[in-house]
Amino acid sequence: MAPSVDTPDPPPPPTLTRTPHTLPAPFTNSSLSVLTQGAEALVYRTTFLTPNTPCVLKYRPPKPYRHPTLDKRLTKARLLAEARVLVRVRKEGIKVPAVLGGDWENGWLVLEWVGGSTVRRVLDGWVESVQRRLADAEGGREQVEQPDLEAQVGGEEEILDLMRRIGRAVGKLHGIGVVHGDLTTSNLMLRPTPKANVAEKTGQLLDGDIVLIDFGLASQTTTQQQDEDRAVDLYVLERAFAATHPSAEPLFQEVLKEYGESYNGAKKVLKRLADVRLRGRKRSMLG
């Protein structure tokens, strides 16, 4: 019998490397920290004009699959639309990042850096604290999988106040005819105020300003579309609560309660929300 010959292992496939986008001036040689990378835009943390001015840089790189003229036109239109909405909303007294600068031709927009935590992280911290307290009450169990937050919410004035602030902020935005378009707990920031109380049971800062961020999909609606678009905004936020904080869903009812009192016409939007929910459930069942 002929001796067996070991077949050598095939060479490993070549490692694919992707050359990062070269940003236009004045950010070509800036120190950048990537925050998010979406299909349309790259978002960085960097500084602007001075080393002590932190900012968010939103850069829309050229899309090779689009005709260059069309690509430039779309990039300019979208950045200008976002900047205009932010300027208008801020002028109305709603807390959003300030527009610090932009270059529509080169595809970038610079926004004020908003310190603090996302509402998503704050809710995570609160749910964890409730789990710990319930575990301690049940004899030192390490974790409670599904805490009864329905029973806990009533005694948590701080978290209820946070939900009311969210409802007021969203209501004020909708009250001036602006729809966010991507209203999730990750696009709501809790920015601490100078008087904020740091000694919270959750380890999170529940006292502070609600700041809405990421207006890349925002729109200023017409009268005919307003109620539907506002209701969809609320539905997206409701689904964000259900998906990322299922045990904290009872808190969302406080958001809606405050929203309903925030501007004339809010109660009509809440009625429309019921129709949007029904359509969403039908889609889920049909796939």
Side-chain angles (χ1 to χ4, degrees):
M1 180 182 294
S4 61
V5 178
D6 292 335
T7 305
D9 293 332
T15 303
L16 297 178
T17 58
R18 182 174 60 183
T19 305
H21 292 285
T22 302
L23 271 68
F27 302 102
T28 308
N29 298 313
S30 297
S31 175
L32 301 168
S33 172
V34 179
L35 296 176
T36 61
Q37 180 172 350
E40 289 289 324
L42 302 167
V43 182
Y44 302 93
R45 178 176 181 175
T46 184
T47 57
F48 186 59
L49 298 181
T50 73
N52 298 321
T53 307
C55 70
V56 170
L57 169 65
K58 178 174 280 192
Y59 174 54
R60 289 180 176 264
K63 304 297 185 294
Y65 54 83
R66 284 202 292 241
H67 188 280
T69 304
L70 174 63
D71 185 52
K72 274 189 169 292
R73 189 177 301 162
L74 286 173
T75 297
K76 180 178 180 180
R78 288 168 181 171
L79 285 176
L80 273 172
E82 182 173 359
R84 284 169 177 155
V85 167
L86 283 168
V87 169
R88 184 197 164 194
V89 169
R90 191 174 174 87
K91 192 179 294 184
E92 295 286 347
I94 301 168
K95 291 179 172 57
V96 297
V99 177
L100 303 181
D103 186 334
W104 327 125
E105 301 300 328
N106 286 314
W108 57 264
L109 181 67
V110 172
L111 305 174
E112 170 193 10
W113 173 259
V114 178
S117 300
T118 64
V119 168
R120 177 174 181 169
R121 288 183 61 190
V122 172
L123 284 174
D124 284 342
W126 182 77
V127 171
E128 287 174 9
S129 74
V130 171
Q131 288 179 330
R132 285 195 301 270
R133 292 202 301 272
L134 292 177
D136 292 341
E138 292 186 15
R141 286 173 52 194
E142 291 186 359
Q143 186 177 12
V144 177
E145 293 296 330
Q146 292 294 331
D148 183 9
L149 295 188
E150 294 274 6
Q152 295 294 314
V153 165
E156 294 283 345
E157 184 57 33
E158 294 89 355
I159 196 73
L160 290 175
D161 183 62
L162 174 61
M163 296 301 107
R164 294 179 196 121
R165 277 176 277 149
I166 292 172
R168 285 195 295 271
V170 176
K172 198 169 182 181
L173 182 73
H174 286 179
I176 64 170
V178 174
V179 170
H180 187 277
D182 189 19
L183 197 57
T184 66
T185 50
S186 294
N187 287 333
L188 294 167
M189 297 289 297
L190 179 60
R191 179 171 61 189
T193 58
K195 296 180 180 178
N197 180 13
V198 208
E200 288 291 343
K201 296 176 183 177
T202 61
Q204 296 288 343
L205 211 55
L206 296 185
D207 186 18
D209 294 327
I210 297 297
V211 184
L212 292 92
I213 63 171
D214 195 357
F215 278 71
L217 298 177
S219 60
Q220 303 184 56
T221 62
T222 62
T223 305
Q224 293 80 7
Q225 297 172 321
Q226 278 181 2
D227 287 349
E228 177 73 13
D229 291 345
R230 290 164 173 162
V232 171
D233 238 7
L234 291 176
Y235 181 70
V236 170
L237 184 57
E238 184 175 49
R239 299 311 301 158
F241 267 76
T244 57
H245 315 286
S247 56
E249 271 192 274
L251 296 173
F252 190 70
Q253 299 310 310
E254 197 69 24
V255 175
L256 295 181
K257 180 180 175 183
E258 192 69 23
Y259 176 91
E261 304 296 329
S262 61
Y263 69 98
N264 291 333
K267 286 185 170 60
K268 288 173 58 181
V269 176
L270 294 180
K271 289 181 182 177
R272 185 65 65 91
L273 175 60
D275 297 333
V276 174
R277 284 173 179 149
L278 184 60
R279 293 201 302 270
R281 282 197 292 270
K282 285 181 178 176
R283 278 198 208 97
S284 298
M285 290 190 306
L286 296 174

